[in-house]
Amino acid sequence: MALGIRCFRLLHPAFRSYHAALTRPVSEVSMKTVSGRQHDHRQYSAYPAVPVRHFATKKAKAKGKGQPQARVTINRALVEDIINLEEVDEDMKSVTEALKDNFNKTLNVRTAPGSLDHITVVTADGKVALNQIGQISMKSPQVILVNMASFPECTAAAIKAIRESGMNLNPEVEGTLIRVPIPKVTREHREMLVKLAKQSTNKAKENLRKVRTNAMNKLKKSKDKTSEDTIRLIEKQISQMADDTVAELDQHLAAKTKELLG
């Protein structure tokens, strides 16, 4: 017995390595056979299996940057039960139309009677447009008249609204008649109008973000009954529509800026 134990301890180290490798889980060990014989024993070496992760190189990452994103075109009728994309599109278009209307009516180098129509006047009954409480006319190329005879109690509020309209107007009052001298077209006046145009455009973009957010919130309500791939596709379509509208708003701003600066 003692002799057997001694012989086991004197076994070749290669056998002990082989035995140890066999007793470890396969997932943790990879076996490597070494060619050659030593004392008629084949040699085996055990190596722990290490997972290898391949990272993207800087060159590969850089290659993807700046590439145009693939555009999405969804058949709106097929997703109508999930979200009405036609309605979203109309809401976004209304933002653009509102900006164009604002540019045409209030941001002109030459002040015209129509420029005062939609100035908002705060009255005891709420906010109303100036042309609803006053009769606006052109006395001369240099003066606009606002007749407040129908609502004399709103005269002071109308003067305040005209003065704070951001159109560089300084109205004068004669009883219920408001005289509005048209300012000379100076470089400063043009630059001020451009500043107002930018403010109006930023406001339009805020309204657009609200439309986009509302659409995304509606879409979230359908996540439980719609596949993730479909949701992601519709989200991309909505974002794409919003991006296109932003680009259109910027185009209108650029055109108006060029017009105002001459």
Side-chain angles (χ1 to χ4, degrees):
M1 180 68 176
L3 179 60
I5 294 173
R6 183 187 302 175
C7 291
F8 180 81
R9 289 176 178 175
L10 294 177
L11 284 175
H12 195 279
F15 179 79
R16 293 202 298 271
S17 298
Y18 174 61
H19 179 266
L22 289 178
T23 57
R24 296 179 63 186
V26 176
S27 61
E28 297 179 4
V29 178
S30 60
M31 299 297 297
K32 179 179 179 182
T33 304
V34 182
S35 301
R37 291 178 177 273
Q38 184 176 358
H39 300 296
D40 296 326
H41 292 284
R42 185 175 295 276
Q43 293 182 327
Y44 293 87
S45 298
Y47 297 90
V50 179
V52 179
R53 182 177 180 182
H54 298 281
F55 294 92
T57 62
K58 290 183 178 180
K59 185 180 291 185
K61 290 180 179 179
K63 187 177 180 181
K65 291 183 177 180
Q67 298 295 327
Q69 297 294 322
R71 290 185 65 82
V72 175
T73 303
I74 296 177
N75 187 329
R76 298 178 180 181
L78 295 179
V79 297
E80 197 172 35
D81 57 332
I82 302 173
I83 187 171
N84 190 335
L85 289 178
E86 288 289 349
E87 184 179 310
V88 175
D89 188 40
E90 287 299 321
D91 289 342
M92 291 186 178
K93 286 180 179 178
S94 67
V95 171
T96 303
E97 291 303 316
L99 180 68
K100 289 166 61 178
D101 189 59
N102 176 269
F103 281 176
N104 292 332
K105 290 182 176 178
T106 64
L107 295 176
N108 296 293
V109 175
R110 297 287 180 183
T111 304
S115 302
L116 277 61
D117 284 352
H118 295 278
I119 289 178
T120 302
V121 182
V122 180
T123 69
D125 297 324
K127 296 180 179 180
V128 295
L130 180 60
N131 64 348
Q132 293 181 5
I133 58 176
Q135 183 179 358
I136 305 172
S137 61
M138 198 86 176
K139 181 179 180 181
S140 69
Q142 290 78 35
V143 179
I144 295 175
L145 295 180
V146 182
N147 191 333
M148 299 295 297
S150 299
F151 296 89
E153 70 278 7
C154 298
T155 302
I159 292 173
K160 183 175 184 293
I162 294 171
R163 187 172 287 125
E164 296 177 355
S165 64
M167 298 171 65
N168 195 32
L169 301 176
N170 188 25
E172 304 167 356
V173 64
E174 297 176 3
T176 58
L177 191 65
I178 302 174
R179 295 166 51 87
V180 185
I182 298 175
K184 292 181 180 180
V185 181
T186 62
R187 185 68 183 178
E188 291 75 14
H189 180 58
R190 290 176 182 271
E191 290 175 351
M192 182 202 66
L193 291 176
V194 170
K195 184 178 179 180
L196 291 175
K198 290 179 180 178
Q199 291 175 355
S200 297
T201 304
N202 289 335
K203 181 64 177 177
K205 289 180 180 180
E206 288 178 15
N207 293 335
L208 177 64
R209 280 193 290 271
K210 291 177 183 178
V211 173
R212 180 185 180 278
T213 299
N214 290 337
M216 290 298 189
N217 289 338
K218 288 181 182 178
L219 189 59
K220 287 179 181 178
K221 296 178 181 179
S222 301
K223 283 192 172 182
D224 294 337
K225 56 183 180 181
T226 309
S227 69
E228 291 184 6
D229 289 342
T230 301
I231 292 293
R232 281 196 294 268
L233 197 62
I234 298 175
E235 286 177 343
K236 190 171 182 180
Q237 176 77 81
I238 294 172
S239 295
Q240 180 178 288
M241 291 162 63
D243 291 342
D244 290 346
T245 305
V246 168
E248 190 174 354
L249 294 175
D250 287 337
Q251 288 174 0
H252 287 301
L253 174 61
K256 193 64 180 180
T257 299
K258 185 177 180 180
E259 174 194 324
L260 293 173
L261 292 179

